[in-house]
């Protein structure tokens, strides 16, 4: 089954045909220092926790039906029944799109003031028209802060990329 942008949001019948509904509800990251994560996201950036279980996990609602979980690494491993230790995410960036190039720099400054480290200063991307920078949170999570004039979300929550934006 081919799903086009016009097919979003998907219906339960479309999910049955595909075998699994095309959606993501939780992104959970192993976090070496949960207290540092709390200081960065809650205290530094002003995010409001959905649930905050000391020494275990913090959940933040980051979009409609989407939650970011920061799970203490040892408890994360225990939950997955892993013998080796999780040191945090690898090969992953979380992206936050903003309305202007100036806002990219403002958000990067706020994240730095909250305890983040600039990985890549705000600059033109190799991908035409995108202005972005990267900040690493205290546990190694890499955030891309970007202004992409070819990206938008319509009233139905459908993402538009490129010329369809």
């Amino acid at each position: 089954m081919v799903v086009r942008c016009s097919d979003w949001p998907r219906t339960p019948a479309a999910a049955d045909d595909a075998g699994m509904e095309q959606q993501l509800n939780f992104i959970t990251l192993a976090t070496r220092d949960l207290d540092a994560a709390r200081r960065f996201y809650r205290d530094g950036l002003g995010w409001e926790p959905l649930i905050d279980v000391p020494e275990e996990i913090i959940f933040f609602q980051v979009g409609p039906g989407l939650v970011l979980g920061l799970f203490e690494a040892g408890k994360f491993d225990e939950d997955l029944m892993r013998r080796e230790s999780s040191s945090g995410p690898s090969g992953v960036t979380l992206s936050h799109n903003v309305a202007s190039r100036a806002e990219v720099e403002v958000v990067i400054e706020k994240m730095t003031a909250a305890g983040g480290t600039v990985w890549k200063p705000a600059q033109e991307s190799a991908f035409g028209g995108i202005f972005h920078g990267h900040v690493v949170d205290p546990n190694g999570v890499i955030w891309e802060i970007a202004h992409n004039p070819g990206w938008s979300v319509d009233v139905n929550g459908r993402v538009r990329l490129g010329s369809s934006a």
Side-chain angles (χ1 to χ4, degrees), residues 36-155:
R38 183 178 293 105
R39 286 189 302 273
F40 181 76
Y41 292 98
R42 186 193 68 194
D43 303 340
L45 298 179
W47 288 19
E48 185 176 328
L50 192 59
I51 296 174
D52 185 345
V53 180
E55 300 179 22
E56 189 169 327
I57 196 162
I58 304 170
F59 289 113
F60 296 98
Q61 183 156 0
V62 295
L66 182 59
V67 173
L68 174 64
L70 302 171
F71 205 165
E72 191 280 323
K75 304 258 191 226
F76 179 88
D77 294 334
E78 186 178 313
D79 186 54
L80 291 176
M81 300 172 63
R82 294 177 68 169
R83 292 175 195 244
E84 66 275 1
S85 177
S86 295
S87 61
S90 174
V92 174
T93 60
L94 301 179
S95 296
H96 178 75
N97 289 303
V98 296
S100 70
R101 295 165 65 96
E103 195 174 349
V104 169
E105 294 186 22
V106 168
V107 172
I108 288 173
E109 288 172 14
K110 288 180 179 179
M111 293 179 86
T112 302
T117 303
V118 174
W119 186 268
K120 180 167 92 175
Q123 60 190 267
E124 293 292 332
S125 167
F127 306 104
I130 300 171
F131 184 76
H132 70 161
H134 292 82
V135 177
V136 180
D137 86 354
N139 283 288
V141 176
I142 301 170
W143 280 88
E144 175 190 37
I145 308 305
H147 169 64
N148 180 349
W151 179 89
S152 66
V153 180
D154 71 16
V155 295

